[in-house]
Amino acid sequence: MLRRSFPRLSRFVSSKASLSSCIVNSHNEWDPLEEIIVGKIEGSTIPEWHVAGKAVWPSRYWDMYKTKAGQPFPRELMNAAAKELDYLAQVLEGEGITVRRPEFNPQDFSKPFETPDFKSKSGLYAAMPRDILIVVGNEIIEAPMAWRSRYFEFRPFRSLVKEYFQKGAKWTAAPKPQMSDELYNEDWQHNSGEFNSVVTEFEPTFDAAEFTRMGKDIFTQRSQVTNEFGIEWMRRHLGEEYRIHVLDFQDRNAMHIDGTFVPLGPGKLLANPYRPCVTGRPVKTYAYKDKTYEYRLPEMFKGWEIFVAPTPELSPEHPLFFTSPWTATCNVLVVRPGVVVVEAHETKARQLFKEWGFDVIPVPFRNFMPFGGSFHCATCDIRRTGSLQSYFD
Ligand code: DAV
């Protein structure tokens, strides 16, 4: 018989020991980073065509999903993206931050799999820890993501999550969605009327990147991967200590809030001009593409500075398999108050951040962006100095 070793009890640190000194401790998007996970691109596999993707994937790539499912993404792009991720990790380490990377067999994603409810030609990747994991205080939550290709995406992160648990963190896996056909609106079409989600209310689903944390207040939206059931699960799970606010950006292709509504510090918010918030009262008007827009926010944001992100300088031909180009200027990572990692080629964004009073750490990331995000997506903060606070009372 195989001898298996189980961790002895003494290996576990009690999570009651001291909450603020817990290995996992992060309450917002801006406190000083101490430890972070940076994703890995190795093994990334083209997922198969599915209606859930139709709602967000740019149409010029639909053919790729229909004909190349289970194959790797273009090799040169993956190699260049891997280098950019390694460089990001190096820069963060240079800032005194502990960087961890997922551990997995790169062959894993290209294997087909089947459950009693569905079949998938392949998985996807371990490039975006922000989508699968969210840290709220000393708790690490694995999200119930809505895409079939992402069903097993928790696996590359499990050795890290187990380690964090053994060192005292709280660990929750949200209810695993069945992802049977009832979860999807099979005949979903783009429309210009009321928000129309490709996911039904069959069971709770959300991606971790749909929630942005500002201490006791957490902001989210309904999207093409996040349903009301998922938001309600999070609300009840986190309980009375937290307030979950649902905002509306009139984004028909909404998926993840971190390219849309990005807090930079207490009283400072980066807004995507293309997706103005319509929840609350007007707080700012601005011009974008010769039109004047009104940005609204709930009353609680009174006195906040709203910084309008510049249009990305990325060429319209740049490959983007999963997203809009807005991740180039919006999906930034705050390393500590006043210090932001910004994409190195986005000269306008770099300039504006400086004018807004931030120190900018430029990092090239154009080869990574095709895979669906930038610095915020590619990371998941594990520990930031600081404790749970309210920034709105
Ligand atoms: O186009 O803004 C952002 C996705 C970030 N995880 C977008 C998608």
Side-chain angles (χ1 to χ4, degrees):
M1 217 180 108
L2 213 64
R3 270 173 64 90
R4 303 173 109 196
S5 66
F6 290 100
R8 277 172 293 117
L9 270 182
S10 57
R11 272 184 60 189
F12 295 94
V13 175
S14 163
S15 60
K16 293 204 188 88
S18 164
L19 289 188
S20 59
S21 66
C22 185
I23 181 103
V24 171
N25 179 69
S26 179
H27 300 276
N28 58 43
E29 309 288 337
W30 58 74
D31 273 344
L33 263 173
E34 295 176 17
E35 180 158 341
I36 194 162
I37 303 175
V38 171
K40 279 184 120 178
I41 202 78
E42 283 76 4
S44 300
T45 303
I46 298 170
E48 73 180 79
W49 174 251
H50 187 251
V51 67
K54 185 180 176 187
V56 282
W57 299 339
S59 54
R60 65 182 160 138
Y61 295 108
W62 289 5
D63 230 37
M64 176 184 87
Y65 296 109
K66 286 176 183 169
T67 59
K68 297 198 172 142
Q71 296 179 31
F73 285 96
R75 291 271 180 213
E76 335 68 81
L77 213 46
M78 282 179 34
N79 293 340
K83 288 204 182 96
E84 288 177 346
L85 281 168
D86 291 348
Y87 181 66
L88 173 67
Q90 205 182 313
V91 167
L92 295 173
E93 276 168 353
E95 295 295 317
I97 300 159
T98 302
V99 174
R100 306 297 306 271
R101 311 292 298 268
E103 291 163 20
F104 55 95
N105 176 353
Q107 309 298 324
D108 282 359
F109 307 114
S110 59
K111 291 183 191 149
F113 57 91
E114 184 173 350
T115 79
D117 295 292
F118 71 91
K119 287 184 187 168
S120 182
K121 276 193 187 145
S122 70
L124 179 56
Y125 52 38
M128 307 285 178
R130 191 74 62 179
D131 297 358
I132 173 73
L133 301 175
I134 183 166
V135 166
V136 182
N138 71 336
E139 177 174 11
I140 189 155
I141 300 172
E142 295 173 4
M145 293 200 284
W147 292 359
R148 288 174 170 172
S149 56
R150 309 191 86 171
Y151 188 79
F152 284 116
E153 208 162 302
F154 62 92
R155 293 176 73 252
F157 300 95
R158 269 287 165 93
S159 58
L160 282 174
V161 175
K162 286 192 286 186
E163 182 190 320
Y164 290 132
F165 178 80
Q166 282 160 0
K167 290 182 173 163
K170 206 169 153 187
W171 171 20
T172 302
K176 197 81 192 134
Q178 283 174 237
M179 300 186 181
S180 59
D181 291 346
E182 290 105 309
L183 178 59
Y184 307 100
N185 279 316
E186 193 49 49
D187 48 9
W188 184 91
Q189 295 290 347
H190 275 281
N191 76 351
S192 53
E194 207 164 280
F195 179 71
N196 176 21
S197 184
V198 73
V199 289
T200 66
E201 295 293 332
F202 175 64
E203 59 192 340
T205 64
F206 61 82
D207 283 6
E210 209 75 80
F211 292 89
T212 193
R213 305 153 309 147
M214 305 193 205
K216 292 187 175 202
D217 292 277
I218 297 183
F219 297 83
T220 190
Q221 64 177 345
R222 277 187 66 208
S223 81
Q224 299 298 354
V225 290
T226 298
N227 57 18
E228 283 178 18
F229 209 161
I231 295 170
E232 183 57 23
W233 183 88
M234 194 66 156
R235 184 177 276 132
R236 282 196 216 167
H237 177 74
L238 293 179
E240 283 174 5
E241 204 161 12
Y242 293 89
R243 294 172 290 252
I244 306 264
H245 308 265
V246 183
L247 302 178
D248 181 1
F249 302 93
Q250 299 232 298
D251 182 5
R252 312 249 71 78
N253 308 99
M255 175 172 168
H256 304 171
I257 201 163
D258 60 347
T260 300
F261 174 86
V262 181
L264 300 172
K268 293 175 198 296
L269 181 80
L270 181 68
N272 181 331
Y274 183 64
R275 301 171 185 154
C277 183
V278 297
T279 311
R281 58 186 192 95
V283 287
K284 193 169 183 103
T285 48
Y286 58 88
Y288 170 66
K289 288 201 170 164
D290 303 330
K291 249 183 88 180
T292 302
Y293 287 82
E294 187 177 74
Y295 203 94
R296 293 174 172 258
L297 281 175
E299 178 69 25
M300 63 200 286
F301 283 91
K302 194 162 188 231
W304 276 54
E305 276 179 282
I306 314 299
F307 302 113
V308 179
T311 307
E313 288 165 58
L314 211 59
S315 129
E317 278 79 53
H318 195 79
L320 291 171
F321 305 128
F322 296 103
T323 58
S324 76
W326 284 100
T327 58
T329 53
C330 292
N331 196 246
V332 296
L333 179 70
V334 180
V335 166
R336 55 184 173 271
V339 182
V340 189
V341 179
V342 180
E343 212 287 323
H345 303 87
E346 295 293 335
T347 48
K348 176 87 182 154
R350 285 172 60 177
Q351 183 56 37
L352 279 174
F353 270 102
K354 284 185 193 150
E355 285 170 22
W356 297 333
F358 292 88
D359 283 341
V360 169
I361 305 178
V363 173
F365 224 48
R366 280 194 166 169
N367 296 291
F368 180 82
M369 273 189 277
F371 299 93
S374 191
F375 308 112
H376 194 263
C377 300
T379 55
C380 173
D381 34 302
I382 290 298
R383 199 169 63 259
R384 289 181 185 260
T385 316
S387 54
L388 182 61
Q389 290 181 37
S390 171
Y391 300 96
F392 295 94
D393 292 338

